[in-house]
């Protein structure tokens, strides 16, 4: 049974959207007051947080796991597409941060001025980011939502970005103006790494990469009494999110009823191990011969 947790995902995304808008506003205001390049870059990073929440709400609306006439395998890939949108936003933010830092080095700029109350405001921002990241990740893992997990990864990078920015501004407060520009570069690298992590996690789902080694499926299937062999094993999806398995099963059965009972035992074992999973089994007679358990690699 495939569960539909989109209502809970949308609730989390709305809560985090409100918090991210508040954080973005605080960073932009303090960044404008102080003239801090790294803080304005961090505010830009927070713009992507809010955009990601909106993107997530749109993706969640259309990502029903239940099949219909037009989408017989469900709509779960919409969430993976939304996660790739997050990766794209992170790439844009990385470029903007690097561009601003290089311009500041080449052309110079106004001195950064920071006060103790402004630093305290940034600590409030940091606390909100920490809450959002752990809240989204906990719910995302519980309900198996890639969009929440991807957004939590993004927000986790925002925590380290904000810590770096606060550290740089403390240095500026102590008289080291160069720290603001220097810290803009590791901020950009952290943003880039977050985008790469989201991309790497969701591409296998979109390109139908093998989800389970065919040898593992073969071992489970042949452990059932009455199964002689299985071949042409294929799987796709992501274990824990949604998996599709196909195979040809050679069974030692005198009639269709017995063959059906054997295949149901195979399905039960696979579902217990890899749920949620949809399984398609083509049954073949005992005399069928095949040494191939999966599709061969074509270089």
């Amino acid at each position: 049974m495939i569960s539909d947790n989109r209502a809970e995902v949308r609730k989390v995304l709305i809560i985090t959207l409100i918090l991210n808008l508040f954080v973005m506003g605080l960073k932009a205001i303090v960044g404008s007051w102080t003239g801090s390049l790294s803080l304005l870059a961090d505010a830009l990073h927070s713009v992507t947080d809010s955009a990601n929440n909106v993107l997530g709400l749109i993706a969640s609306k259309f990502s029903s796991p239940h099949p219909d006439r037009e989408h017989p395998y469900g709509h779960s890939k919409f969430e993976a597409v939304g996660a790739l949108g997050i990766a794209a936003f992170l790439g844009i933010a990385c470029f903007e941060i690097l561009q601003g830092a290089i311009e500041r080095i080449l052309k110079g700029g106004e001195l950064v001025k920071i006060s103790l109350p402004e630093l305290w405001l940034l600590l409030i921002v940091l606390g909100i980011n920490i809450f959002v990241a752990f809240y989204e990740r906990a719910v995302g893992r519980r309900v198996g939502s890639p969009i929440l997990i991807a957004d939590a990864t993004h927000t986790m990078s925002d925590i380290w970005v904000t810590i770096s920015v606060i550290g740089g501004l403390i240095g500026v407060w102590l008289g080291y103006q160069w720290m603001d520009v220097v810290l803009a570069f590791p901020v950009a690298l952290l943003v880039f790494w977050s985008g790469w992590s989201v991309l790497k996690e969701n591409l296998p789902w979109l390109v139908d990469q093998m989800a389970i080694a065919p040898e593992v499926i073969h071992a489970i299937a042949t452990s059932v009494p009455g199964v002689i062999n299985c071949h042409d094993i294929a799987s796709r999806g992501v274990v824990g999110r949604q998996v599709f398995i196909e195979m040809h099963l050679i069974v030692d059965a005198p009639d269709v009823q017995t063959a059906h009972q054997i295949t149901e035992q195979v399905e039960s074992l696979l579902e217990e191990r890899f749920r949620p999973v949809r399984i398609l089994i083509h049954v073949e007679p005992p005399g069928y011969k095949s040494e191939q358990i999966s599709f061969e690699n074509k270089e």
Side-chain angles (χ1 to χ4, degrees), residues 17-261:
L17 173 61
I18 294 170
L19 292 174
N20 282 330
L21 287 172
F22 178 71
V23 163
M24 180 185 68
L26 272 182
K27 288 179 181 177
I29 291 170
V30 177
S32 299
W33 285 345
T34 62
S36 167
L37 176 63
S38 61
L39 185 53
L40 288 173
D42 195 14
L44 176 63
H45 190 207
S46 293
V47 170
T48 66
D49 286 330
S50 302
N52 294 340
N53 293 142
V54 174
L55 181 63
L57 286 167
I58 295 171
S60 178
K61 178 177 175 60
F62 294 102
S63 63
S64 170
H66 302 299
D68 57 27
R69 181 180 174 85
E70 287 76 25
H71 303 88
Y73 294 97
H75 312 73
S76 297
K77 284 188 179 182
F78 277 104
E79 280 211 33
V81 172
L84 292 187
I86 290 177
F89 277 124
L90 288 168
I92 295 170
C94 176
F95 173 78
E96 292 292 337
I97 294 169
L98 289 174
Q99 183 183 47
I102 292 171
E103 285 183 0
R104 177 69 65 88
I105 292 172
L106 295 177
K107 299 179 182 179
E110 297 181 1
L111 293 178
V112 178
K113 299 176 182 178
I114 187 76
S115 66
L116 194 58
E118 289 163 344
L119 287 174
W120 278 109
L121 282 176
L122 294 180
L123 288 175
I124 294 174
V125 165
L126 179 61
I128 294 173
N129 281 339
I130 291 172
F131 168 77
V132 167
F134 282 91
Y135 174 52
E136 275 194 305
R137 187 170 64 178
V139 178
R141 287 178 175 175
R142 177 166 57 80
V143 303
S145 169
I147 198 73
L148 286 184
I149 294 172
D151 201 37
T153 301
H154 180 192
T155 306
M156 190 64 70
S157 76
D158 210 19
I159 291 171
W160 293 109
V161 168
T162 303
I163 289 173
S164 299
V165 170
I166 291 174
L169 290 176
I170 290 174
V172 169
W173 184 50
L174 296 173
Y176 301 102
Q177 284 286 327
W178 54 269
M179 289 188 69
D180 183 59
V181 175
V182 169
L183 283 172
F185 289 95
V187 167
L189 291 177
L190 285 168
V191 172
F192 175 80
W193 178 254
S194 296
W196 171 249
S197 299
V198 170
L199 185 67
K200 186 171 63 173
E201 185 176 338
N202 286 277
L203 270 181
W205 175 266
L206 290 172
V207 300
D208 289 335
Q209 181 176 311
M210 177 185 70
I212 306 161
E215 295 80 9
V216 174
I217 297 174
H218 182 272
I220 293 173
T222 53
S223 70
V224 174
V227 174
I228 299 173
N229 200 357
C230 58
H231 62 97
D232 286 341
I233 302 168
S235 65
R236 61 185 177 88
V238 176
V239 175
R241 187 187 303 181
Q242 175 68 63
V243 176
F244 299 88
I245 298 174
E246 301 173 8
M247 71 173 77
H248 288 223
L249 197 66
I250 305 173
V251 297
D252 184 11
D255 52 54
V256 174
Q257 181 66 27
T258 305
H260 175 70
Q261 291 173 352

Side-chain angles (χ1 to χ4, degrees), residues 234-299:
S235 65
R236 61 185 177 88
V238 176
V239 175
R241 187 187 303 181
Q242 175 68 63
V243 176
F244 299 88
I245 298 174
E246 301 173 8
M247 71 173 77
H248 288 223
L249 197 66
I250 305 173
V251 297
D252 184 11
D255 52 54
V256 174
Q257 181 66 27
T258 305
H260 175 70
Q261 291 173 352
I262 292 171
T263 57
E264 282 199 329
Q265 290 180 55
V266 172
E267 289 177 352
S268 178
L269 286 178
L270 291 171
E271 286 172 356
E272 182 181 344
R273 178 81 176 270
F274 302 113
R275 67 166 61 98
V277 58
R278 285 174 59 184
I279 305 164
L280 178 63
I281 298 178
H282 176 77
V283 177
E284 292 172 337
Y288 189 92
K289 302 292 183 182
S290 177
E291 300 298 325
Q292 179 180 321
I293 67 169
S294 183
F295 295 101
E296 296 178 356
N297 289 327
K298 295 183 179 180
E299 301 292 341

